[in-house]
Amino acid sequence: MLQVWALPGIGEISPGDDLVSVIADAAASTRPEEQLRDGDILIVTSKIVSKAEGRIILADDREDAITAETVRLVASRTSPTGHVTRIVESRLGIVAAAAGVDASNTPAGTVLLLPEDPDASARALAGGLRHRLGVAVGVIVSDTLGRAWREGQTDSAIGAAGVHVFEDLRGGTDAEGRPLIVTMPCVADELASAGDLVKGKAARLPVAVVRGRDDLVGPLDLPGARSIVRPAERDMFSLGSDEAWAAGFAAGAASRGQDDADAFSSGP
Amino acid sequence: MLQVWALPGIGEISPGDDLVSVIADAAASTRPEEQLRDGDILIVTSKIVSKAEGRIILADDREDAITAETVRLVASRTSPTGHVTRIVESRLGIVAAAAGVDASNTPAGTVLLLPEDPDASARALAGGLRHRLGVAVGVIVSDTLGRAWREGQTDSAIGAAGVHVFEDLRGGTDAEGRPLIVTMPCVADELASAGDLVKGKAARLPVAVVRGRDDLVGPLDLPGARSIVRPAERDMFSLGSDEAWAAGFAAGAASRGQDDADAFSSGP
C-alpha cells in the first residue's frame, strides 16, 4: 500500500527561511501515523526551495532572467496572439519552457528562478531532516514540466537525494524469464507525479509525503536528478523540428553552393 | 490521503478472458477496506487489455507489426551494436518507441500490439465494473512510455473512461489571485505513474487502485486519453532533430538549385 499525503500548515516561505525546520515542524504537527518514518519520501515543490534560497527577481527582468538561465534554445514558437514560447535547455540541463522561470504564486511584480542546484538543495533537506528527526527519508525537489507529444504537464523530479531516481530493471527478467533490457522506470518522476495528485497547484500545499516505497530510499550520495537529464547529443529531440529544418535548409543551400563551386572549378 | 495498491490474484490473461470479471473477482477477494468504492480509479496495464483482446502476434512479424501500427516515422537511430530504435506516431496518435509493440511478459515467440482502441477498452471496463459492482469507478489503461529529454520511462495513460484526464486550472487563480493561464496538469498520466509505483514491471500485478481523488471521477463519456495526444501540427517536436535537419537540407539544396536556375534564366 502506497500512501501519499500533503503536509498541512506550511505558510508563505521567504528568503532565508530554514526549510528543514519548516518541514520538520509541519511534519511533527500531523497525526501520529503521519509522523515521518524511515523510508518516507518527501516531494518538495521547487517553488518553496527557490523562495527560501532567495531566487526571486523583479518581473521586469523576466525575459533577461530566462536568457540568463538558458544554455541553448531548443525551440520557440509565436502564438497567433504574439506570445512567444521558448523551450530551452537550462543551465541545469533540464529542457523546459521559459527555463523554469515561474511567475505564478510569487509576490506581485516578481518571478522565481529554479534553485541554483536542486540536487544540492535536496541533499541539504534530506540530510537536515535525517539529522533532526533521526529518520532516513528521501527528498525529491519537483517542478511542473511540459512534454513533447502530449498535452498538459506532469510534475517531475529536478532534484533528488537519498532516493533512487531509477528502478533499474535492466538486469532483471520478466515473468517469462526474458531479460528486461530496456526498461528503466524513472521512479523519481513517478513519485513527483504522485505527489502532485495531493498537493494541488492553487493551494498552499507544497510538500507531499510518499510512504510505501522504502526500498527506493538509500544513502544521501545516490545519483541525483541530474542523472535523469539526457545529454543533448544522445537525444533524438535535442532541437525543435522547425529549428532543425531551418538549420538543415541553410546547410543544404550552402552545400549546394559548394557543389556548384566545386563543379565550376573542376569544369563541365 | 491518497492510497494506491495493486490488486493481487490476477493470473495470466488469455484471449477472450472477461477482464471485468477478472478484475471484479480480484477486487472482491481483497480486505474489506480495499473493496472498490465510488471514486476509486483503476489503473490497468495495457498489456492485459491487449491479451484479453487477442492482440497477440508471432514475434517473426514484429517489424511488420510495428510498420502496420505506424502512421508516421518520427525519429530513428541505429545504436553502435546495430539495434534500430524507431520512434513512431502510432495509429492511436501516441508517439512511442516501436509503436508500443511489446515483447516482454508475452508467451515465448509472440509480441503484443496495443489495444485496438484503448479509450473504448477503458469505457467497457469502467462501464462493466460500474454495472457489476454498483460503484462509480474510473479506469485508466496505462502504458510505459519513453520521453524526450529525460532518461527512463514513466507509465502514462493511453486509455481513460469515467475520469478527468486533465485537472483544468486554466480558469483558476493562484494563491495571489493571478490567473493560472497555462497550467493544465495531466492527472491521467500522473495517476498512471502513481499506479506504476505499486505494480512493478516484473511481477504479475497489472492492476492498481488509486483512492482519494474522487473529484476526478465522472461520467463514462468524459474525453478519453486520445485528448492527451498533441496533434503533430501543434507539436514543436513532431519530427526528430536529425530527420528534420535532413528534410531541411534537401529542401535547401533544391531551393538553391532553383535560385541558380532562376538566376541563370534571368541572365547575369
Side-chain angles (χ1 to χ4, degrees):
Chain A
M1 173 78 75
L2 195 78
Q3 294 175 301
V4 192
W5 67 91
L7 286 186
I10 296 182
E12 187 57 35
I13 301 297
S14 301
D17 282 355
D18 174 14
L19 274 191
V20 170
S21 293
V22 168
I23 292 172
D25 291 347
S29 68
T30 57
R31 297 177 297 170
E33 65 269 29
E34 291 178 7
Q35 300 294 311
L36 291 179
R37 294 184 204 159
D38 284 352
D40 286 348
I41 301 167
L42 290 156
I43 318 296
V44 181
T45 305
S46 64
K47 193 182 299 278
I48 66 166
V49 178
S50 294
K51 285 183 179 176
E53 294 179 359
R55 303 274 297 157
I56 190 160
I57 59 165
L58 288 177
D60 294 345
D61 303 330
R62 181 168 185 270
E63 293 303 315
D64 290 346
I66 296 172
T67 302
E69 294 281 287
T70 295
V71 170
R72 187 173 70 82
L73 180 70
V74 173
S76 72
R77 189 166 286 188
T78 305
S79 79
T81 60
H83 179 76
V84 178
T85 301
R86 280 196 270 170
I87 312 289
V88 307
E89 180 184 326
S90 78
R91 63 187 167 72
L92 299 168
I94 298 164
V95 175
V101 174
D102 188 352
S104 66
N105 273 310
T106 56
T110 65
V111 296
L112 273 183
L113 311 182
L114 289 181
E116 181 72 36
D117 180 348
D119 280 332
S121 305
R123 211 152 47 237
L125 277 173
L129 289 165
R130 285 177 182 206
H131 180 72
R132 174 156 166 168
L133 301 174
V135 292
V137 296
V139 169
I140 285 171
V141 174
S142 68
D143 195 26
T144 302
L145 296 180
R147 306 86 59 83
W149 319 318
R150 297 176 77 76
E151 301 284 5
Q153 304 90 33
T154 55
D155 271 20
S156 299
I158 65 164
V163 57
H164 291 270
V165 296
F166 295 111
E167 182 155 45
D168 198 337
L169 303 175
R170 285 178 300 183
T173 56
D174 69 14
E176 295 281 331
R178 276 172 304 199
L180 285 165
I181 42 172
V182 291
T183 305
M184 192 172 70
C186 184
V187 282
D189 283 349
E190 295 186 327
L191 289 162
S193 286
D196 191 45
L197 290 170
V198 301
K199 289 194 292 192
K201 291 275 180 299
R204 285 212 172 97
L205 293 168
V207 181
V209 182
V210 178
R211 175 170 294 165
R213 286 304 306 268
D214 316 42
D215 59 305
L216 295 176
V217 174
L220 289 183
D221 61 354
L222 288 171
R226 194 67 169 81
S227 64
I228 303 172
V229 173
R230 180 179 293 143
E233 64 273 17
R234 293 193 354 95
D235 198 307
M236 290 191 245
F237 302 92
S238 59
L239 196 59
S241 310
D242 287 355
E243 287 74 10
W245 194 94
F249 188 94
S255 85
R256 176 58 186 248
Q258 193 54 50
D259 286 351
D260 292 347
D262 291 347
F264 191 79
S265 65
S266 61
Chain B
M1 173 78 75
L2 195 79
Q3 295 174 302
V4 192
W5 66 91
L7 286 185
I10 296 182
E12 187 58 36
I13 300 296
S14 302
D17 282 355
D18 174 14
L19 275 191
V20 170
S21 294
V22 169
I23 292 172
D25 291 348
S29 68
T30 55
R31 296 178 298 171
E33 64 271 27
E34 292 178 8
Q35 299 294 310
L36 292 180
R37 294 185 203 158
D38 285 350
D40 285 348
I41 301 167
L42 290 155
I43 318 296
V44 181
T45 305
S46 63
K47 192 182 300 278
I48 65 165
V49 177
S50 294
K51 285 184 178 175
E53 295 179 357
R55 304 272 298 157
I56 192 163
I57 58 165
L58 289 176
D60 293 346
D61 304 328
R62 180 169 185 271
E63 293 303 315
D64 290 346
I66 295 172
T67 302
E69 293 282 288
T70 295
V71 170
R72 186 172 70 82
L73 181 68
V74 172
S76 72
R77 188 166 286 188
T78 305
S79 79
T81 61
H83 179 76
V84 178
T85 301
R86 281 195 267 171
I87 312 288
V88 308
E89 179 185 325
S90 78
R91 63 187 169 72
L92 299 168
I94 299 164
V95 174
V101 174
D102 188 351
S104 67
N105 272 310
T106 56
T110 65
V111 295
L112 272 184
L113 311 183
L114 289 181
E116 182 73 34
D117 180 347
D119 279 331
S121 306
R123 212 152 45 235
L125 277 174
L129 288 165
R130 285 178 181 206
H131 180 73
R132 176 157 163 168
L133 301 174
V135 291
V137 296
V139 169
I140 286 170
V141 174
S142 68
D143 195 25
T144 302
L145 296 180
R147 307 86 59 81
W149 319 318
R150 297 176 76 76
E151 301 285 3
Q153 303 89 33
T154 54
D155 272 20
S156 299
I158 66 164
V163 59
H164 291 269
V165 296
F166 295 109
E167 182 155 45
D168 198 338
L169 303 176
R170 285 178 299 182
T173 56
D174 68 14
E176 294 283 330
R178 276 172 303 198
L180 284 164
I181 43 172
V182 292
T183 305
M184 192 171 72
C186 184
V187 281
D189 283 350
E190 294 186 327
L191 288 162
S193 286
D196 191 44
L197 290 169
V198 302
K199 290 194 290 192
K201 291 276 180 299
R204 284 213 171 96
L205 293 168
V207 180
V209 181
V210 178
R211 175 170 295 166
R213 286 303 308 263
D214 317 43
D215 59 305
L216 295 176
V217 175
L220 290 182
D221 60 356
L222 288 172
R226 193 67 168 80
S227 63
I228 302 172
V229 173
R230 181 178 293 143
E233 63 272 18
R234 290 191 359 90
D235 198 307
M236 290 191 246
F237 302 91
S238 59
L239 196 59
S241 310
D242 287 355
E243 287 74 10
W245 194 94
F249 187 94
S255 85
R256 176 58 186 247
Q258 192 56 50
D259 287 349
D260 293 346
D262 291 346
F264 191 78
S265 66
S266 60

